[in-house]
Every structure is written in structure tokens, then in C-alpha cells.
Amino acid sequence: MKRISIFLLLVISALSISCDDFLDKQPDDMLTIDAVFTTRLEVEKYLANVYSYLPDPADPYANFTPVSDEGDFVWTTIGANSINTGNWGPTSIPYDRYAHYYKGIRAASVYINSVEKCAECEGVTAGINIRTKAEARALRAYYYFLLLRQYGPIVLLPNIIPVDASISETTKPRNSYDECVKYIADELDLAAKDLPTVTQNVIDYGRVDKRAAMAIKARVLLYAASPLFNGNNQDYASFKNTDGKALITNTYDANKWKLAADAAKAVIDLMPNGLYKKFDATGALDPFASYRDVFIDRWNADVIWGRPSSGTNNWTIHAAPRQMKGWNGLGVTQQMIDAYHMANGKRIDEAGSGYVETGLSTTDTKYTKALDWNMYLNREPRFYVSILYNHDTWVFTGASSTPIQLYATGASGKNGSHDHTETGYLLTKFVSPNSDVPNNRYTTQSWIYFRLAEMYLNYAEALNEYSPNNTDIAKYVNLVRERAGIPALPTGLTQADMRERIRHERRIELAFEEHRLFDVRRWKTADNTQGGPMYGMNVSKGTSFTDTEFYQRAIFETRVFEKKHYFWPIPQSEIDRNKQMVQNPGW
């Protein structure tokens, strides 16, 4: 009887994964295929294993935020430190998930090809084998996409590898970017046919359903339509396999934007109730609570696909200041602070914004109090949900009203400990007001992979490129802004103006959710945003809240970004083992 371990070894050969990886088996790897996929309990365990390869960005050490111009996480073991200083390469790759996601693909393929053997599964729940097979198919497609966005064109493996396959049959050259996109999109369409539109049973929340598969497809197609991959005849003309096959097309195709717009709209149409909102006692929209609680109220109306996460507790304690017994290190850049709108919806550099850079406030307002620095006054509600600044108060509803001291000699400042924000700000988005860090009591939360507001912005972006002046463009951006408590976009915007507005709205609405890092790459704007000086407040100065030396813009880091950084390098071990594998440009 063929053992599953033989199958896995052949797949691992295809991936050129080392023997050490193979020896790191799941407990049931040595069971026969028949033994695993005949018993319902073993099948359920195997499907859980397929899900286990999903990333958990609620873990600060795994989250991509500090690799972008959004943030800076202070600890020396954060992989972003090597990336931001340019101290990385094919033999030393921070956040390297190449082998990890291929293991997920391998596990999904085994499940897809074997689950229908489980008669016991069908006996307990009719139709379960078809549904879970579709879940595994969607997960496999998602793992391919996660590889694609990080490493560029990748190797698509055969869905079934014969047990007698030779090494030469299972080591392959890279597929083109467009081939990868088509395969992923087709697989998601196939999966969606056998998935429920919405997961209804509470015990199944977090599993892939039709909406999730369609949302993955919408994001995949948006990336494929973007400038980095659509008609990029400047950067990747020579990016080819050893046989001369081009890996990224040089030909622009406007229809890719239409495909992306249609895919996003299809998800939107399945969610007619619209964005998640909360209201105050008078029945008026509460934009602060609406935005905050998207990430706190589990499985709310905005969530398309999320997963239970143990990492959110870890995130909260890393974000909390020392005055709240936290680790005081999830910093936010001044660039991100400056990006947030004013309460009137204008950028801080727009005429009529009312922005004031310096000076201390003298009165309390809805979101601020006297002695807050004027820079932080009259900003949009999403700013106050996401950012903790000097003299602000901690988000926990049971915390005292004692202002947080982020100036140099303050209780949460630089001079108090090696754990301190290097930017003078802490990140409070995703932090529940019910999580009590000092007493080690936390709320149960989830990490949201896909949500409706993203689909609105995806749709608007794609539609603006394919059908500028379409009324849906402003409509869906304004729905996001309305929920955020700021006025609608001005009318009469040109296509270029609207493009810039949509990109800026993404930067704020989707901040710290691992979009910015890949958005600026697919837009080909990372050269202008990800390298050079990064700013914060002057955390080496300040002896009180009224000491204005703290409130001076200061460079905390000068980052390195080169053309080659648009893609992660393929691990050198993979290049060495698979002679048909070419390295990414510049590495």
C-alpha cells in the first residue's frame, strides 16, 4: 500500500525542500492514505492542518507593517530591521515563507485528491466531502497568491504527482505571472461552485465560503491589473526563464482592470447590507466606534473572511505603553500620522484644512483634551482609533485617565527602558477597549483577511482605470468615507486626481492590515515611499508634556529601497537545487 510519506517526499522534491523539512512531519504522515482518509476524525485533523499554514499577522513578529512606511516595531529580532537597512539577500531572507506556503499547497493537494474516500464523513454530514474539498482548493489558491505577491512569478505544481515520478519530472521552471493568475482565478471559480455563499453555523466561522473565494479572486485580479504587472516594459523585459520565456508581460491590457472591477463588484453584490456601522444613543452614526469595532466585534457585517487568532493578545501587549504594563514598541511613522485627514476630510496640506503644526491646545474636544499638541487636533476619527500620541490616554475603558508619557524622561519614554517607541507614537488599531493588559485579561478577537471596505476600494480603483467618470467610483469611495465620519470627495475630479484619492483612502482605511507594503509595489511607487528618511517625534528629548523639544520632527531611521526589492529573492537553496529556477532580478 502506498504510503502518504512517499507522496510527500516526491512533492518536496518538486519544491527542492531540504531533508530537514521532510523530517518535520505531521504526526499522521506515516499513516496510509486509506487510513487517514477513511476515518472522519483523521480527515478533520488533516483539514485543520491545511488551514494551519495561513499566516497570522496579529503576531507583531510576522506582520509586514514595519517593512512599509506605516510603522516601526522596536525590537531587534523584527525581520524588518534587516530589510529596511538593506541587509538581506537570497541566503538571509526575513519573513521567508517560500517553503511554508508550498507545504500548505502540498497538504491541500493531498486533501483534494483523497477526501472523497471518506464514507464515514458523508455518513455523518451529507455533502461534507465536496464542501471541504472546495475549501482546500481555495486555500491552495490563496497560498499560491501569497507566494505570488511576495516572490513574483512562481512554480505551479501538478495537482497530482505520480508516486513513481522522477526528480526531473518534479523540478520545474517558473510559470509566468499571467499563468499563475489564471490558474489561481480558475481554481477559485471552481471552489466557489461547491461552497456555501455564507458560513451559517457559528462553529464553522473562519472557514472558507463562497464570498471568501470570490474576495481572494478580486484581490488577485486587482494586483494583476496594476502597473507592476500590466504592461511593465521598463523593469522586467529581461526577466525570463532559461529557455527565454518572459515571466512578466510587457503588453498593457486594459481589460485586466475590467476583470478586477467585475470580480470586486460580484463580492459587493453578495453583501447588500453594506458596511458595518454603529450608532450612538440618538441614532446618529458613531464613526469612531464603527471603525474601531470592525476589528473588535467578531464576525461582523464587514468581515468576508477572518480566522480566530491567538496573536491579538500578543499584539495588544506589544502595543500597550509601559504605564499600562505593556511592551511599548509598536511605533507609527510620522509619514503615516501626516496621511490621516482632518475632520473636514481635507489632507493636512490642503487649503482650508485647518491643520496647525505646533503649539499646545487649550481646551477639550470630542477626541482630544487640553495640552494635546495641536498637530493631533481636529483629525478624522480613524486617526484616534489607530494612534496613541504623547499626552493621549490608553484605550482600555477601565484604565485611569492618566496621560501617557512618551517624552524622553516620561514613564513610557526612551530613557525609561530599551523598549520604547522610536517614533513617539504607539499603534492602537486592533486593540480592544475591553482588554485589560495589567491584569492579563484579553478579549477574543480574529484577524480579518478580507473585508467589505477593501472590496469597495478595489472596485473603485479598477473602475477608475477601466471606466473613468463612472458614478460608482465616487459612490463606493464615499461610502467608506461616510462610515469614517468625513465628507464626500469633491466633485469634478480627473481620472488622475481620483486615482490619487483612492490610493490615499486605501492608505488610511486599510492601514496596518498588510496592504500598504504590496500596494506601493504594485503601483510602482515604492521607490518614492519606502526608502530614505523615516520620521517621528524627537523621542530623545522632552522632560514634560509642555516641553516642545519632543514635538520636533526627527529622523529615526534612513531606509534602503532598491528596484530589486519589489520582489523578495527566491531562497538560494531553491536556486541551487532546481537548475531550471531563475532568480528574481537584481538578487
Side-chain angles (χ1 to χ4, degrees), residues 51-66:
Y51 273 97
S52 73
Y53 293 95
L54 286 168
D56 187 2
D59 176 359
Y61 294 87
N63 188 286
F64 282 124
T65 290

Side-chain angles (χ1 to χ4, degrees), residues 88 149-152 228-229 235-236 517-518 520-528 561-568 584-585 587:
W88 61 308
R149 72 171 186 171
Q150 191 170 349
Y151 298 95
L228 186 65
F229 308 109
D235 302 316
Y236 298 122
L517 171 76
F518 298 106
V520 295
R521 282 165 168 76
R522 67 182 178 85
W523 295 330
K524 290 183 61 179
T525 61
D527 307 60
N528 303 321
F561 188 90
E562 303 172 16
K563 284 286 187 184
K564 66 181 181 180
H565 295 146
Y566 273 88
F567 296 131
W568 260 247
N584 281 330
W587 290 103

Side-chain angles (χ1 to χ4, degrees), residues 400-417:
S400 70
S401 59
T402 302
I404 301 302
Q405 303 170 2
L406 296 173
Y407 54 83
T409 62
S412 298
K414 179 178 180 179
N415 292 356
S417 170

Side-chain angles (χ1 to χ4, degrees), residues 392-465:
D392 200 359
T393 52
W394 181 239
V395 298
F396 175 51
T397 53
S400 70
S401 59
T402 302
I404 301 302
Q405 303 170 2
L406 296 173
Y407 54 83
T409 62
S412 298
K414 179 178 180 179
N415 292 356
S417 170
H418 64 280
D419 284 346
H420 68 278
T421 166
E422 293 184 332
T423 70
Y425 304 100
L426 289 170
L427 173 53
T428 53
K429 185 175 177 178
F430 316 123
V431 175
S432 171
N434 300 313
S435 287
D436 181 358
V437 176
N439 292 301
N440 200 33
R441 292 195 293 264
Y442 300 93
T443 60
T444 301
Q445 295 174 231
S446 302
W447 180 265
I448 303 172
Y449 293 112
F450 293 86
R451 60 188 182 94
L452 185 56
E454 181 203 341
M455 295 298 112
Y456 283 10
L457 295 173
N458 288 2
Y459 177 52
E461 179 182 346
L463 199 60
N464 187 57
E465 301 302 329

Side-chain angles (χ1 to χ4, degrees), residues 351-362:
S353 71
Y355 175 72
V356 177
E357 174 85 7
T358 61
L360 295 167
S361 65
T362 58

Side-chain angles (χ1 to χ4, degrees), residues 495-545:
Q495 182 188 32
D497 289 339
M498 183 63 81
R499 179 185 300 123
E500 194 279 333
R501 295 278 187 160
I502 293 168
R503 290 180 177 184
H504 193 79
E505 201 64 46
R506 288 183 69 89
R507 183 177 189 180
I508 298 169
E509 175 67 24
L510 305 178
F512 317 114
E513 297 177 47
E514 298 199 313
H515 288 277
R516 177 69 174 172
L517 171 76
F518 298 106
D519 277 349
V520 295
R521 282 165 168 76
R522 67 182 178 85
W523 295 330
K524 290 183 61 179
T525 61
D527 307 60
N528 303 321
T529 61
Q530 305 308 291
M534 294 289 153
Y535 291 87
M537 293 287 93
N538 191 352
V539 297
S540 297
K541 299 291 185 178
T543 58
S544 69
F545 288 123

